[in-house]
Amino acid sequence: MSNATDSLSPTASKRQPFLVGACRESARDERRVALTPASARYLSELGYRCLLEQGAGVAAGFSDAAYREAGVEIVAARAVLLAQVDIIIQVRPPSSDEIAAVPSDKILISFFWPAQNAALLAAANARRITVLAMDMVPRISRAQKMDALSSMANIAGYRAVIEAGNHFGRFFTGQITAAGKVPPAKVLVIGAGVAGLAAIGTAQSLGAIVRAFDVRPEVAEQIESMGAEFLLLDFAEDGSGDGGYAKPASEAFIAKEMALFREQAPEVDIVITTALIPGRPAPLLWPAEMVGLMQAGSVVVDLAAEQGGNCEMTVKDALITTDNGVKVVGYTDFPSRMATQSSLLYATNIRHMLDDLTPQNDGVPLVNMADDVIRSATVCHQGDLTYPPPKLTVPAIAKPAAVTPVDPAVALRTAQAAAKKATTIQSVSLLAAGLMMLLIGSIAPASFMQHLIVFVLACFVGFQVIWKVSHALHTPLMAVTNAISGIIIIGALLQVSSTSWLVTGLAAVAVLIASINIVGGFVVTRRMLAMFQKSEG
C-alpha cells in the first residue's frame, strides 16, 4: 500500500491545467449528470478545463448550449472524451466494460460501493486508476459539503412522499367540505436519518399526521421538532452505531419492534421505510404480516429496495399491488426522478471534492493521503488497494460526555460563593471608579465633568445590556444597537467642534466606533435575511 502523503496524478507532468470530463450515464433510467454549467464555472476558477459528452445533461434539463456558455467543451464520442481527460466524474459506478475502456492512470470520482463491487475495484486497481468513491466520504463536520449520500438521501425522502401521494389517491391534509369531512392521512416513517427526516418534513408540510420510529433514541428531539410523533419503544437498548448509522438490533429488541409495528399497521395509510447501512443488506422491518394488516388503498414506499428492501413484499424497480389492495413501491431511482435538483446537488458535492483536491487552485489535483476525508474516499490509488480505509481519529458523531452527579448542597454553596465574589469585585470596581471621578472633578471644569459622567454611564449601561445577552441572540439586537449607535454619532458630532482637544478626540473616537458598529450591524443583518430568501436561480 502506498504511504505517500502528497501524490500528484501520474499525468501531472504532461500539461496544465488538468481536464475534467463527464460522460453520459449508462445505467438504465439514470437521468442525472455529474457536471452542471454552474459547477463547471467553479471548476474553471480552480484552474480546470471541463469536457462533456454530447447530450449528457439533456435528461437533467441542461442543454449543450448552456454548457458551452459556461466554457465547457462538448465532445461527440465517449471514447474521445476518455482519451483526453485526466479526471472522470460520474454518478453511478462504472460497469466492468466502462472500466476496461478507461485509459490507465486516470482519476475517477463517482459512487462506487467498493464493499459490493470487489471485482470492479480490482479491475480499476489493475489499470492503476485512482478511484475516489463518493459513498465513502466520512460523515464528519468538515466533509459535509462532499456528503453526496446525504444529498441524494434528502431528495429520495422528499420524492418518496410525492410518490406515495401519487399512488395514495386521497388528500394528505384533512378538510371539511360541503360534501363531508375528509380525515388527514396518517404517515409512518421508519428510520429518521437524512431521508427519513426529509420525508417527515414533506409529509408534515402537506398536512398529514406523521409518526416516526428509529432505534436511535437521540433522534427523538429532531423528529418532534418537525411536528411528528416519535414512537417510543419501551426497551433498554441503544441502537446508535458508528458513522451516524443504526447498528443491528438484538432479537429481543426486534420482537418489541414488531409488536409496535403490528399496532400501527392497521391505522396508518402510508409507510415509508428508509433504514439502510451502506455496504450491508437492508434490514427487514415491514414483513408480509404488516402489509396484510394494512387497509386497502394504503401505500408502502421502500427506499432500501436496492439493497433488498425493508419490506418483505418489495420488488426491486417495480410497483406491485398485494392481494389486500396495498401498493408497494420499490423504485430505486428516486433521486433520478428529480434529475435537475439531484444533478445540481451532486455536482456541488463533486466540485467541493475537487476543491479539496486542488489546494493551490492551479488545476492540478493533489491526492493527499494524510487528509482524513481524501484518504477515506480513496479506494485505490496508483496500483495500490487502499480500501478499507483506516478508522478515523475523529468520530463522526461525538458521544455525549458522562455527567457526574453533583450534590445539591455543594452546588448551592458553590453558587453562593461565586455570587459573593462577583458582588465584591463589582463593589470594589464602583468604588475605584468613584474615586477616579472625584480626582478628575477636582481639576476639570464643571462642563467637562457633565459630559464625562454621561459618557461613562452610557458605556457602563451599554456594556451591561450587551454583555448579559446570549451570543446566539446578538443578531436580533442589531436594529437596536444601530439605533443607539446613531444617537451616539449625533451626540459626538455636536462635540467635535469643542474648544477642548480632549473632548474633540473623544468625540472623534465615538464617531469612528459607532460607525463601525452600524456598518457591521447592517452587514450581519443582511446576511441573516439572505438565509431566508429564495434564490431566483
Side-chain angles (χ1 to χ4, degrees):
M1 183 177 292
S2 175
N3 295 320
T5 299
D6 298 313
S7 302
L8 286 173
S9 172
T11 56
S13 60
K14 290 183 180 179
R15 63 183 179 276
Q16 293 183 12
F18 273 42
L19 303 182
V20 177
C23 297
R24 186 197 303 266
E25 296 291 325
S26 60
R28 182 173 64 90
D29 295 331
E30 181 56 71
R31 292 177 284 273
R32 290 172 292 179
V33 64
L35 182 72
T36 64
S39 67
R41 291 187 182 94
Y42 186 87
L43 293 180
S44 66
E45 294 177 3
L46 290 177
Y48 292 106
R49 282 179 53 206
C50 296
L51 282 70
L52 182 82
E53 183 181 356
Q54 185 176 7
V58 172
F62 306 107
S63 65
D64 289 347
Y67 283 104
R68 289 191 181 95
E69 289 179 7
V72 179
E73 180 182 342
I74 304 299
V75 180
R78 180 189 185 93
V80 175
L81 184 143
L82 293 177
Q84 292 182 358
V85 300
D86 305 288
I87 303 172
I88 304 164
I89 58 176
Q90 62 185 68
V91 182
R92 292 274 187 170
S95 64
S96 56
D97 292 338
E98 288 175 331
I99 284 292
V102 175
S104 299
D105 296 326
K106 302 289 186 179
I107 296 176
L108 170 66
I109 305 175
S110 73
F111 284 116
F112 202 86
W113 309 108
Q116 294 97 313
N117 295 315
L120 189 65
L121 177 60
N125 189 57
R127 299 188 63 79
R128 293 182 58 84
I129 299 172
T130 295
V131 177
L132 282 84
M134 295 301 291
D135 48 280
M136 291 299 296
V137 171
R139 285 190 163 179
I140 59 177
S141 298
R142 187 168 63 85
Q144 287 181 350
K145 61 186 179 181
M146 294 173 269
D147 190 356
L149 284 177
S150 293
S151 297
M152 298 302 102
N154 181 34
I155 294 174
Y158 174 88
R159 180 68 191 198
V161 177
I162 303 302
E163 204 70 37
N166 182 44
H167 297 292
F168 181 48
R170 302 210 314 265
F171 289 135
F172 269 77
T173 184
Q175 294 187 9
I176 299 177
T177 69
K181 182 178 180 181
V182 179
K186 295 179 180 178
V187 178
L188 172 61
V189 179
I190 302 177
V194 176
L197 292 174
I200 290 170
T202 306
Q204 184 72 21
S205 66
L206 291 174
I209 296 174
V210 185
R211 303 166 184 172
F213 173 80
D214 199 287
V215 298
R216 299 163 294 174
E218 65 267 19
V219 303
E221 290 185 5
Q222 299 177 46
I223 293 171
E224 292 171 351
S225 69
M226 301 183 74
E229 176 189 356
F230 178 65
L231 300 179
L232 180 63
L233 194 62
D234 186 17
F235 194 85
E237 179 174 318
D238 187 356
S240 303
D242 295 332
Y245 297 101
K247 65 182 181 182
S250 65
E251 292 184 4
F253 185 90
I254 292 175
K256 278 277 190 180
E257 187 180 51
M258 291 299 108
L260 175 65
F261 292 162
R262 203 171 287 114
E263 295 175 2
Q264 295 293 322
E267 297 183 14
V268 295
D269 301 303
I270 296 171
V271 176
I272 299 174
T273 63
T274 70
L276 185 63
I277 303 175
R280 299 182 187 177
L284 179 61
L285 299 177
W286 203 254
E289 175 193 359
M290 306 303 171
V291 178
L293 292 173
M294 297 178 72
Q295 301 292 323
S298 300
V299 179
V300 177
V301 180
D302 193 344
L303 291 181
E306 194 159 11
Q307 298 300 324
N310 297 137
C311 177
E312 189 175 6
M313 306 294 289
T314 297
V315 176
K316 184 178 177 181
D317 292 319
L319 166 67
I320 66 165
T321 303
T322 63
D323 294 338
N324 62 324
V326 177
K327 295 181 179 179
V328 181
V329 181
Y331 300 149
T332 60
D333 61 344
F334 285 106
S336 184
R337 288 169 181 256
M338 299 184 67
T340 302
Q341 186 64 73
S342 299
S343 299
L344 288 170
L345 292 181
Y346 183 73
T348 300
N349 296 140
I350 289 285
R351 62 104 162 166
H352 280 304
M353 173 66 78
L354 285 168
D355 193 359
D356 271 27
L357 285 170
T358 320
Q360 302 299 325
N361 291 351
D362 56 357
V364 178
L366 189 67
V367 182
N368 183 2
M369 299 299 277
D371 185 299
D372 284 341
V373 177
I374 301 302
R375 174 63 187 86
S376 296
T378 305
V379 295
C380 63
H381 179 49
Q382 295 183 358
D384 290 330
L385 284 175
T386 57
Y387 175 82
K391 189 173 181 179
L392 288 175
T393 56
V394 179
I397 297 180
K399 295 186 177 297
V403 179
T404 305
V406 179
D407 187 351
V410 174
L412 178 60
R413 287 196 297 270
T414 303
Q416 289 175 341
K420 184 178 180 180
K421 181 179 179 181
T423 302
T424 302
I425 293 174
Q426 189 174 22
S427 300
V428 172
S429 300
L430 288 173
L431 179 61
L435 293 175
M436 181 64 69
M437 295 295 291
L438 181 62
L439 178 61
I440 296 174
S442 63
I443 59 176
S447 59
F448 173 79
M449 286 303 299
Q450 291 178 357
H451 294 303
L452 181 61
I453 291 174
V454 171
F455 176 76
V456 172
L457 288 177
C459 291
F460 177 76
V461 172
F463 175 80
Q464 290 295 323
V465 168
I466 300 300
W467 185 258
K468 297 297 183 182
V469 176
S470 170
H471 294 290
L473 300 177
H474 277 179
T475 301
L477 287 175
M478 286 302 173
V480 178
T481 56
N482 281 351
I484 295 174
S485 298
I487 296 172
I488 293 173
I489 288 179
I490 293 174
L493 289 175
L494 294 175
Q495 301 299 325
V496 166
S497 60
S498 173
T499 56
S500 171
W501 65 268
L502 181 58
V503 174
T504 302
L506 290 174
V509 171
V511 171
L512 174 63
I513 296 176
S515 300
I516 294 173
N517 192 38
I518 289 176
V519 173
F522 278 117
V523 170
V524 173
T525 303
R526 183 179 180 84
R527 289 183 179 179
M528 182 188 72
L529 293 175
M531 295 170 60
F532 300 94
Q533 294 175 348
K534 295 182 179 180
S535 61
E536 298 179 359

